[in-house]
Amino acid sequence: MSRRKPRGRPLDGWLIIDKPAGLTSTDVVNRVRRIFDAQKAGHGGTLDPLATGLLPVAFGAATKTVPYVMDGTKLYRFTLRFGEARDTDDADGQITATSDVRPNDAAIEAALPAFRGAIMQVPPAFSAIKIAGERAYDMAREGRAPVLEPRPARVDRFTLVEQPDADTAVFEVASGKGVYMRSLARDLARACGTVGHIATLRRLRVGPFLEHHAIPLDKLREPDDTAPASPDLLLPVATALADIPALALTEQEAADLRHGQVISLVALMGRIPAAADPNGGLARAMAGGRMIGLCRLEDGLLKSERIL
């Protein structure tokens, strides 16, 4: 029995889309896959339909590096609208409560420190988290309010950028993976003695990918062009790992790692980058300027994590 040939072109690499508002992340991936006539594509971190900004799309071999991109720092800018709570915690939802309280700069600045560092966060009811096999947003849409437990989150930076008027304030947040901006906005408003929701949200960075890498979805090809988009638009697979410290290996060491062997960190003394954590940290294994794969430093050894 012959295996069916996969449809599309075998492409490898990353495409950074500047996502427009109103589309889901899956909508964008499906559209991009069609435009490139690509066999395999996925995204590196969901954006809500209301959100705009960086949505990294991985093709082919790049899909193997998605977890490392999602582990990277994310940078967001959002506008918090005070005075209205919404069931989705953003402007797309229904109003569930109102308040006349409008915090000033001083009240906001006083509340912010509690939301920095290692915090516990209750995800929004409208989120993709599974509860007993069901998605929270499916339960919420059916009027069965999901009971979501607080979960750990890491917020590296949470700053007030400006307060254009009494009703709105603009913030920038740098965070680890799995931090919900909608929850931060909701909880900060509560800490200021009022209610609120996200009016606009934009993602400015995902790991090593920055705004200057991003291409608007409608600029991928001319409207009257039916040919697949050019693979020249793709960034190399290894770009995703650019913010993981690089470790130079000899060709022999690289060959050993490829064959599943481990290398003593003592043999690598003087070459281990300062940014690499010897207690379980990752490093990019490089040989002769080529990236071999990812390795983990633990128990005094260098072990291959993923050979590319």
Side-chain angles (χ1 to χ4, degrees), residues 167-195:
D167 290 333
T168 57
V170 179
F171 298 88
E172 272 198 3
V173 177
S175 70
K177 70 173 178 182
V179 180
Y180 288 93
M181 296 303 115
R182 288 176 291 149
S183 293
L184 279 183
R186 174 197 70 205
D187 295 346
L188 178 64
R190 284 180 187 160
C192 292
T194 183
V195 292

Side-chain angles (χ1 to χ4, degrees), residues 140-157:
R141 282 190 194 116
E142 290 169 12
R144 295 178 292 129
V147 178
L148 293 160
E149 297 297 322
R151 49 182 57 202
R154 193 191 85 236
V155 178
D156 300 320
R157 184 157 60 84

Side-chain angles (χ1 to χ4, degrees), residues 15 26 40 42 49 54 65 132 150 158 162 179 189 214 224-225 227 258 262 271 290 307:
L15 181 74
T26 304
K40 185 178 182 184
L54 264 68
T65 62
F158 192 176
E162 59 174 340
V179 180
D224 56 353
D225 194 0
R258 278 201 195 95
V262 297
R271 284 186 276 158
R290 302 184 325 282
I307 300 300

Side-chain angles (χ1 to χ4, degrees), residues 82-146:
F82 295 111
E84 287 180 357
R86 306 240 176 169
D87 56 3
T88 58
D89 297 315
D90 66 20
D92 286 344
Q94 303 296 313
I95 297 171
T96 57
T98 58
S99 168
D100 294 331
V101 176
R102 298 293 182 272
N104 59 17
D105 279 17
I108 294 169
E109 292 287 7
L112 279 172
F115 296 95
R116 297 182 184 130
I119 65 169
M120 295 299 285
Q121 184 183 68
V122 176
F126 283 80
S127 58
I129 289 166
K130 281 191 171 176
I131 302 160
E134 279 191 277
R135 296 279 185 198
Y137 55 64
D138 288 332
M139 297 170 71
R141 282 190 194 116
E142 290 169 12
R144 295 178 292 129

Side-chain angles (χ1 to χ4, degrees), residues 198-228:
I198 280 187
T200 65
L201 170 63
R202 181 165 178 80
R203 187 157 65 188
L204 306 170
R205 174 187 172 187
V206 182
F209 300 127
L210 306 171
E211 271 197 296
H212 70 83
H213 292 125
I215 302 171
L217 192 56
D218 58 1
K219 295 281 190 290
L220 284 179
R221 65 178 179 197
E222 297 303 318
D224 56 353
D225 194 0
T226 55

